[in-house]
Amino acid sequence: MPKSKQYPFYLGGVAAAMAASITHPLDLTKVRMQASGDPSMLHSLQSTLRTAGVGGLWDGISATLLRQMTYSLVRFAAYEDLKRRFTPTDAAAPSTSQLALAGALSGAMGGMAGNPADVILVRMQGDLARPVGQRYGYANCFDGLVKIVRDEGPKALARGWGPNVIRASLMNASQLGSYDVFKGMLLGAGMKDDVRCHSIASFAAGTVATTVCSPADVIKSRIMNASGSTNPLTAITSALATEGPRFVFRGWLPAWVRLQPTTVLTFVFLERLRAAVDTARGEP
């Protein structure tokens, strides 16, 4: 895999926002399973349709777009920058360890940048799973931002930042890093650098990322959805006592089902956006 070209920093955020707009209902189902304890993906979908109709499947879409244009924009931009910094100018490509390190560091940066949007997103998506009197009722992401700062103080926007940063670091290392590794393997095996190659590499990356990130994702969702004071240790202890160790993989299937198309669409869109930039530059 040749050393990557430089592209506009915002392409990753735009590609991720495009993908997330399509797959939002699956992300909504995953969060509601993790936060409310719904027994299955189908049960969670039925509950949403019964209480809010088809439109309810896009609850929190404004927060999703805000999250992608903070979290994903930063993680993709930082990842590409760190890959260039970690790789000597005369090297053909970064090593697997360099990709993993670049992914982990850029993921942590993205997790911190996107934490406020993530808090709002988790609350908006999980609202209908809460008792009527305990719902947040945010009209959109900006309404949620104002109400959180007003009612709970600015510090509330950092709720769950620890597990969120850990999860983002794991996600980036296992998703972006493994995508580059799988893509390099496919190109090395003689496959063309086309949509088929991008789809296979991103599918493999999505499976790796789902499994690696599940524990941190579950804990993050429960902390962010809580209205009172809590912390990772309390959340873990309580879940272990009531649900056993398997709770860390609760929602794995909807997470995988959601992350696979999101990962594939994100990388396919990103590669197409890069191709469009190349065309505009007059490059092959």
Side-chain angles (χ1 to χ4, degrees):
M1 183 176 64
K3 195 174 179 180
S4 60
K5 303 176 184 177
Q6 292 192 38
Y7 292 96
F9 72 94
Y10 54 80
L11 290 191
V14 172
M18 292 167 64
S21 298
I22 297 172
T23 61
H24 183 79
L26 295 173
D27 191 44
L28 178 79
T29 301
K30 179 207 68 171
V31 169
R32 287 184 175 168
M33 279 190 70
Q34 292 174 340
S36 67
D38 282 341
S40 69
M41 181 180 178
L42 180 61
H43 183 278
S44 183
L45 280 170
Q46 290 175 334
S47 177
T48 298
L49 290 171
R50 183 176 61 253
T51 56
V54 175
L57 295 174
W58 273 268
D59 282 348
I61 185 63
S62 65
T64 286
L65 297 178
L66 177 62
R67 179 177 184 269
Q68 297 306 331
M69 293 307 293
T70 50
Y71 162 67
S72 286
L73 188 152
V74 170
R75 73 185 180 110
F76 272 99
Y79 177 69
E80 293 301 324
D81 182 68
L82 287 172
K83 280 199 303 182
R84 288 190 293 271
R85 292 177 184 273
F86 289 165
T87 308
T89 55
D90 58 347
S95 66
T96 300
S97 61
Q98 288 171 328
L99 292 175
L101 180 57
L105 292 175
S106 57
M109 296 177 198
M112 287 187 282
N115 202 81
D118 223 5
V119 173
I120 299 168
L121 174 61
V122 168
R123 289 187 175 189
M124 290 183 72
Q125 289 183 332
D127 222 19
L128 286 181
R130 300 170 66 86
V132 175
Q134 298 179 22
R135 293 177 184 173
Y136 296 105
Y138 303 148
N140 52 58
C141 63
F142 302 109
D143 180 53
L145 181 64
V146 171
K147 287 181 177 178
I148 288 176
V149 173
R150 182 192 66 198
D151 299 338
E152 304 174 53
K155 288 184 179 180
L157 294 174
R159 181 184 291 276
W161 76 269
N164 195 31
V165 167
I166 292 172
R167 184 258 185 196
S169 183
L170 293 172
M171 171 63 75
N172 232 43
S174 58
Q175 186 189 59
L176 271 64
S178 64
Y179 173 78
D180 278 343
V181 170
F182 288 126
K183 179 182 175 183
M185 292 171 61
L186 293 172
L187 294 176
M191 185 174 289
K192 294 182 179 179
D193 190 1
D194 55 15
V195 173
R196 179 168 171 262
C197 172
H198 306 153
S199 298
I200 294 173
S202 56
F203 185 90
T207 300
V208 172
T210 303
T211 304
V212 169
C213 295
S214 183
D217 205 20
V218 172
I219 296 169
K220 179 206 74 172
S221 292
R222 296 194 178 192
I223 292 174
M224 288 184 170
N225 197 51
S227 55
S229 178
T230 188
N231 58 67
L233 182 59
T234 300
I236 293 171
T237 302
S238 175
L240 284 173
T242 58
E243 303 173 58
R246 293 178 63 184
F247 89 94
V248 296
F249 291 105
R250 179 176 289 278
W252 185 94
L253 179 58
W256 181 82
V257 171
R258 190 274 306 177
L259 190 61
Q260 287 296 61
T262 300
T263 301
V264 172
L265 288 172
T266 296
F267 283 112
V268 168
F269 286 149
L270 180 60
E271 297 283 8
R272 292 301 89 202
L273 289 171
R274 287 174 173 172
V277 171
D278 286 341
T279 299
R281 292 171 173 173
E283 300 176 356

Short mmCIF file of all heavy atoms in Angstrom, two decimals, residues 23 58 97 100 140 193 222 256 271:
data_model
loop_
_atom_site.label_atom_id
_atom_site.label_comp_id
_atom_site.label_asym_id
_atom_site.label_seq_id
_atom_site.Cartn_x
_atom_site.Cartn_y
_atom_site.Cartn_z
N THR A 23 -27.73 4.84 8.45
CA THR A 23 -27.75 3.73 9.42
C THR A 23 -28.22 4.16 10.81
O THR A 23 -28.17 3.36 11.75
CB THR A 23 -26.35 3.12 9.54
OG1 THR A 23 -25.43 4.12 10.02
CG2 THR A 23 -25.86 2.59 8.19
N TRP A 58 -35.56 7.74 13.68
CA TRP A 58 -34.55 8.78 13.43
C TRP A 58 -34.49 9.77 14.59
O TRP A 58 -33.99 10.88 14.42
CB TRP A 58 -34.83 9.48 12.10
CG TRP A 58 -34.20 8.76 10.96
CD1 TRP A 58 -32.96 8.97 10.42
CD2 TRP A 58 -34.77 7.66 10.22
NE1 TRP A 58 -32.73 8.08 9.40
CE2 TRP A 58 -33.81 7.27 9.25
CE3 TRP A 58 -35.98 6.98 10.28
CZ2 TRP A 58 -34.04 6.23 8.36
CZ3 TRP A 58 -36.21 5.94 9.40
CH2 TRP A 58 -35.25 5.58 8.45
N SER A 97 2.00 -1.58 13.43
CA SER A 97 2.07 -0.98 14.76
C SER A 97 1.91 0.54 14.69
O SER A 97 1.30 1.16 15.56
CB SER A 97 3.39 -1.34 15.44
OG SER A 97 4.50 -0.86 14.70
N ALA A 100 -1.76 1.22 14.16
CA ALA A 100 -2.51 1.02 15.41
C ALA A 100 -2.31 2.19 16.37
O ALA A 100 -3.27 2.67 16.99
CB ALA A 100 -2.09 -0.29 16.07
N ASN A 140 -33.73 19.05 19.69
CA ASN A 140 -32.64 18.79 18.76
C ASN A 140 -31.33 18.89 19.52
O ASN A 140 -31.33 19.15 20.73
CB ASN A 140 -32.67 19.77 17.57
CG ASN A 140 -32.72 21.21 18.02
OD1 ASN A 140 -31.83 21.68 18.74
ND2 ASN A 140 -33.76 21.93 17.61
N ASP A 193 -7.84 -1.44 -6.70
CA ASP A 193 -8.22 -0.45 -5.69
C ASP A 193 -9.58 0.14 -6.09
O ASP A 193 -9.67 1.27 -6.57
CB ASP A 193 -7.15 0.64 -5.60
CG ASP A 193 -7.36 1.57 -4.41
OD1 ASP A 193 -8.33 1.35 -3.65
OD2 ASP A 193 -6.57 2.50 -4.25
N ARG A 222 -24.45 3.46 29.31
CA ARG A 222 -25.16 3.46 30.60
C ARG A 222 -24.80 4.68 31.44
O ARG A 222 -25.65 5.25 32.11
CB ARG A 222 -24.87 2.17 31.35
CG ARG A 222 -25.40 0.96 30.60
CD ARG A 222 -25.45 -0.29 31.43
NE ARG A 222 -26.00 -1.39 30.65
CZ ARG A 222 -26.39 -2.54 31.17
NH1 ARG A 222 -26.28 -2.75 32.48
NH2 ARG A 222 -26.89 -3.48 30.40
N TRP A 256 -23.00 -4.84 15.73
CA TRP A 256 -22.34 -5.37 14.53
C TRP A 256 -23.16 -5.06 13.28
O TRP A 256 -22.63 -4.61 12.27
CB TRP A 256 -22.14 -6.87 14.67
CG TRP A 256 -21.45 -7.52 13.50
CD1 TRP A 256 -20.12 -7.58 13.26
CD2 TRP A 256 -22.09 -8.21 12.41
NE1 TRP A 256 -19.87 -8.26 12.10
CE2 TRP A 256 -21.06 -8.67 11.55
CE3 TRP A 256 -23.41 -8.49 12.09
CZ2 TRP A 256 -21.33 -9.37 10.39
CZ3 TRP A 256 -23.68 -9.20 10.91
CH2 TRP A 256 -22.64 -9.63 10.09
N GLU A 271 -13.58 6.99 0.09
CA GLU A 271 -12.77 6.70 -1.08
C GLU A 271 -13.32 7.41 -2.32
O GLU A 271 -12.56 7.90 -3.16
CB GLU A 271 -12.70 5.19 -1.33
CG GLU A 271 -12.04 4.38 -0.22
CD GLU A 271 -10.52 4.47 -0.21
OE1 GLU A 271 -9.96 5.28 -0.98
OE2 GLU A 271 -9.89 3.72 0.57
#
